[in-house]
Amino acid sequence: MSGGYALMDALHRHGVSHIFGYPGGAILPIYDELHKAESRGWLKHILVRHEQGGTHAADAYARATGKVGVCFGTSGPGATNLVTGIATAQMDSVPMVVITGQVPRAAIGTDAFQETDIFGITLPIVKHSWVVRDPADIGRIVAEAFLIAASGRPGPVLIDVPKDVGAELFDYVPVEPGTAVPAGFRSTQPPDPAAIAAALELIRQAQRPLLYVGGGAISSGAHQAVLELAERFRLPVTTTLMGKGAFDERHPLAVGMLGMHGTAYANFAVTECDLLIATGARFDDRVTGRLDSFAPRARVIHIDIDAAEVGKNRIPEVPVVADVNQALRQMLAASVGEQSHGRTEAWLQRIDTWKQHYPLVVPTPTGEIAPQEVVLALRELAPKAYITTDVGQHQMWAAQFLPTLPRHWISSAGLGTMGFGMPAAMGVQTAFPDAQVICVAGDASILMNIQELGTLSQYNLPVKVVVLNNGWQGMVRQWQESFYDQRYSASEMTGGMPDFPALAEAFGVRGVAIRDRADLHRLLAEALAHPGPVFVDVTVRRNENCYPMVPPGASNAQMVGLPSHPELAIDTIRQCGACGETTASAHLFCPSCGAKL
């Protein structure tokens, strides 16, 4: 068999049903075998219009299904076009196998036509990578790739296949999934019982606990365990952008998303809590604000599958290096019959008071449509939809106002990749053809991968793209207004703005324009009911800002867009316990004697 056949057979054995890709010269032997594999009914290839779109589609396919996403690209520019999508998956811990064509083995290193060292280029943004030198290694390499991508903390891997390797005939011996274990591979270890016991003891003592849930809870399928632990000990729950869907945001214990554009009550809670239980979260800077004032009164339990994350930004009192679901299940097993005994009720009442005083605000419905109104309409019309987003103000409004189910929130969090939303929606819709899939986008970010309208049209993927069109790079404009004295440098998008509905129609996608509030619900409902893809362009207020907002360098309690909250203000001066000198609270060590503050 040929190397290309071996690759397709190995992918089929690993349960791959869909591949997102774009062909080119160096990968043609593989695409020739792909054509035959499709005719056998092994799998289906989705032709994207740009390689970056293929990576985002495979990424979202993985996020929504929990399976490993697969994408193809050719050598040279085809391979380099994949880099942004690989980095997006790496930052958000998404399992993905990326397969690239490469120039023939004899031409590697000669600056041959369309040659790039994609192996070297992607080393910092993959879990592992291979250049296939012998077609007999393909079965083993694919098995290793799927094992590494999906195990432990998930992430992308890369397999680079020279053109002649894909064409070479050899005696193929299949390798079954799970039978090839690379040297040095370590399986995830079960939680340390002593750490579980120590964590439970802190929970039993806490008067003001807070459960801080990140994307690791989604990856490990821990949403039910999170719910049970929260209800057993009456723990308020906040989620990161990646953790949305791990806990029902309509639950009385939910305090919504925390961080830069999180709810006021979540940020106040994290500032005042005496115990922070971080589950599958990495203390990202967009969550913590100024790190030395993040949960300053709290002891910390940190549960994470990646030991490198534990203690990286905040040293916990109790580290638990384990799969989040396994760790929470052990905590539940070790605390059967326990309850909070009213210990947290005063704390929950205080949080409820914050919820009443500092709710997320929707502007008065006068004048132009407010972007929040559009998001609330989507919440009403499609409460169980899969939501993908691009990056910017619209992303934060969607995160604030759209409760989602587990694996139904698909957004680029770590890398913040504009252009992610529409190809991501393609991936989700491919995985779940009968589901409602909505991409919430901005007028600037949608242009980053607008060519994927062609993919929606070709495969009649019934994705609904809803653009909140304010004529700006919205978040950039907000920062320029707030921190750069309203110098709007290169952020206005009205010049050269396309007629989006007409552009969608040119691709064969239904286009809808919404300009008047009176038409909003009706036209959105009609768009959502349409059996094919629809592009909805909603003109919204030009200068609406996304609040609350934690300014750069501020603590989470010092939000813009809210009344002052002096009782939560963090001291700006700290005194050294060793020498008595005072210094700014941003310092971690005393500048006089060097003692840790």
Side-chain angles (χ1 to χ4, degrees):
M1 297 296 180
S2 70
Y5 174 88
L7 177 63
M8 300 315 302
D9 180 72
L11 294 174
H12 178 53
R13 289 174 186 273
H14 281 81
V16 176
S17 56
H18 293 89
I19 295 170
F20 303 89
Y22 199 97
I27 202 171
L28 282 183
I30 291 172
Y31 266 82
D32 190 47
E33 290 293 346
L34 171 60
H35 183 272
K36 300 171 187 176
E38 283 193 289
S39 68
R40 298 185 192 103
W42 284 3
L43 44 77
K44 181 177 177 61
H45 178 267
I46 304 296
L47 173 63
V48 297
R49 269 44 183 181
H50 189 281
E51 289 87 353
Q52 183 182 343
T55 57
H56 295 330
D59 173 321
Y61 184 97
R63 296 191 202 216
T65 64
K67 300 176 182 178
V68 177
V70 180
C71 60
F72 282 2
T74 194
S75 66
T80 57
N81 282 344
L82 298 167
V83 170
T84 297
I86 296 171
T88 300
Q90 190 266 346
M91 286 288 282
D92 288 349
S93 304
V94 178
M96 189 163 72
V97 172
V98 180
I99 297 170
T100 52
Q102 185 54 275
V103 299
R105 284 168 289 188
I108 293 176
T110 68
D111 292 331
F113 177 66
Q114 290 195 332
E115 180 192 359
T116 56
D117 179 12
I118 195 63
F119 177 94
I121 289 170
T122 57
L123 275 177
I125 54 172
V126 295
K127 287 185 74 175
H128 199 66
S129 47
W130 299 260
V131 177
V132 183
R133 303 285 181 174
D134 185 341
D137 294 333
I138 287 177
R140 172 187 58 81
I141 287 173
V142 169
E144 291 181 358
F146 275 79
L147 176 65
I148 292 172
S151 64
R153 181 179 184 173
V157 299
L158 175 85
I159 304 173
D160 196 33
V161 186
K163 184 174 184 178
D164 56 329
V165 170
E168 185 174 321
L169 299 177
F170 72 108
D171 292 330
Y172 173 50
V173 178
V175 178
E176 294 301 324
T179 60
V181 180
F185 178 83
R186 296 181 182 178
S187 299
T188 302
Q189 298 300 304
D192 179 2
I196 296 295
L200 280 172
E201 189 56 34
L202 288 186
I203 292 173
R204 294 180 185 114
Q205 296 171 11
Q207 303 291 319
R208 302 186 308 279
L210 183 65
L211 193 52
Y212 154 43
V213 181
I218 299 289
S219 297
S220 67
H223 51 277
Q224 185 61 35
V226 168
L227 174 64
E228 291 178 26
L229 187 73
E231 290 186 337
R232 178 170 299 177
F233 290 104
R234 299 283 290 160
L235 307 172
V237 181
T238 183
T239 63
T240 67
L241 186 66
M242 283 292 297
K244 273 184 67 68
F247 191 78
D248 186 351
E249 292 172 278
R250 291 158 291 202
H251 193 286
L253 291 172
V255 294
M257 184 178 72
L258 80 166
M260 180 171 282
H261 290 284
T263 66
Y265 33 93
N267 285 335
F268 293 155
V270 80
T271 305
E272 280 289 279
C273 69
D274 63 3
L275 177 66
L276 188 65
I277 309 160
T279 56
R282 59 186 179 88
F283 292 84
D284 174 73
D285 63 293
R286 287 295 173 103
V287 164
T288 64
R290 200 175 74 196
L291 191 59
D292 70 324
S293 62
F294 180 71
R297 302 169 175 85
R299 293 184 288 183
V300 173
I301 300 166
H302 192 177
I303 307 170
D304 202 287
I305 201 166
D306 186 356
E309 289 295 345
V310 178
K312 184 178 80 174
N313 293 326
R314 175 71 177 260
I315 297 175
E317 277 70 21
V318 178
V320 183
V321 179
D323 174 85
V324 169
N325 193 37
Q326 287 186 22
L328 295 182
R329 285 291 167 200
Q330 286 204 13
M331 292 172 71
L332 289 167
S335 60
V336 171
E338 293 188 36
Q339 53 183 294
S340 68
H341 299 291
R343 188 173 54 253
T344 66
E345 291 311 307
W347 172 234
L348 293 172
Q349 288 174 14
R350 187 173 185 192
I351 291 174
D352 283 342
T353 300
W354 288 332
K355 287 182 179 180
Q356 294 169 21
H357 289 172
Y358 303 100
L360 292 170
V361 176
V362 179
T364 304
T366 58
E368 291 184 304
I369 300 169
Q372 299 94 322
E373 292 179 78
V374 183
V375 176
L376 289 173
L378 291 174
R379 182 172 76 179
E380 177 186 333
L381 294 168
K384 296 183 179 180
Y386 286 86
I387 302 294
T388 74
T389 77
D390 269 315
V391 171
Q393 287 178 315
H394 63 274
Q395 178 189 31
M396 294 298 103
W397 282 313
Q400 289 175 341
F401 290 103
L402 290 178
T404 58
L405 299 169
R407 293 195 178 276
H408 280 55
W409 172 260
I410 315 288
S411 187
S412 172
L415 198 65
T417 305
M418 291 176 71
F420 176 83
M422 187 160 62
M426 289 165 16
V428 178
Q429 194 76 78
T430 300
F432 302 106
D434 298 325
Q436 179 81 76
V437 181
I438 301 171
C439 168
V440 180
D443 54 280
S445 58
I446 196 67
L447 287 169
M448 293 282 186
N449 276 310
I450 194 71
Q451 74 285 338
E452 297 308 329
L453 284 170
T455 307
L456 293 182
S457 178
Q458 177 180 348
Y459 297 98
N460 196 33
L461 296 170
V463 168
K464 309 304 185 281
V465 181
V466 179
V467 172
L468 308 184
N469 189 340
N470 60 12
W472 293 96
Q473 298 161 31
M475 193 62 81
V476 173
R477 185 207 58 78
Q478 180 170 337
W479 278 57
Q480 288 172 334
E481 175 188 306
S482 301
F483 310 120
Y484 295 91
D485 294 329
Q486 300 182 22
R487 292 186 293 275
Y488 300 119
S489 176
S491 55
E492 187 170 3
M493 298 297 291
T494 53
M497 177 75 72
D499 179 338
F500 282 118
L503 182 61
E505 294 282 353
F507 277 99
V509 172
R510 175 173 288 190
V512 176
I514 300 178
R515 306 288 179 253
D516 192 296
R517 177 176 291 103
D519 299 327
L520 178 63
H521 274 72
R522 177 180 59 82
L523 291 180
L524 275 180
E526 290 175 3
L528 293 174
H530 182 67
V534 183
F535 192 109
V536 182
D537 179 30
V538 188
T539 300
V540 298
R541 295 181 183 180
R542 290 268 292 158
N543 298 317
E544 185 70 29
N545 285 337
C546 185
Y547 293 127
M549 179 182 181
V550 178
S555 78
N556 278 19
Q558 298 165 327
M559 286 166 279
V560 175
L562 291 177
S564 62
H565 204 84
E567 70 270 25
L568 285 176
I570 304 300
D571 293 337
T572 57
I573 298 296
R574 288 197 287 182
Q575 186 173 36
C576 176
C579 70
E581 289 293 322
T582 58
T583 185
S585 64
H587 292 173
L588 299 179
F589 297 91
C590 176
S592 297
C593 71
K596 186 173 182 181
L597 297 172

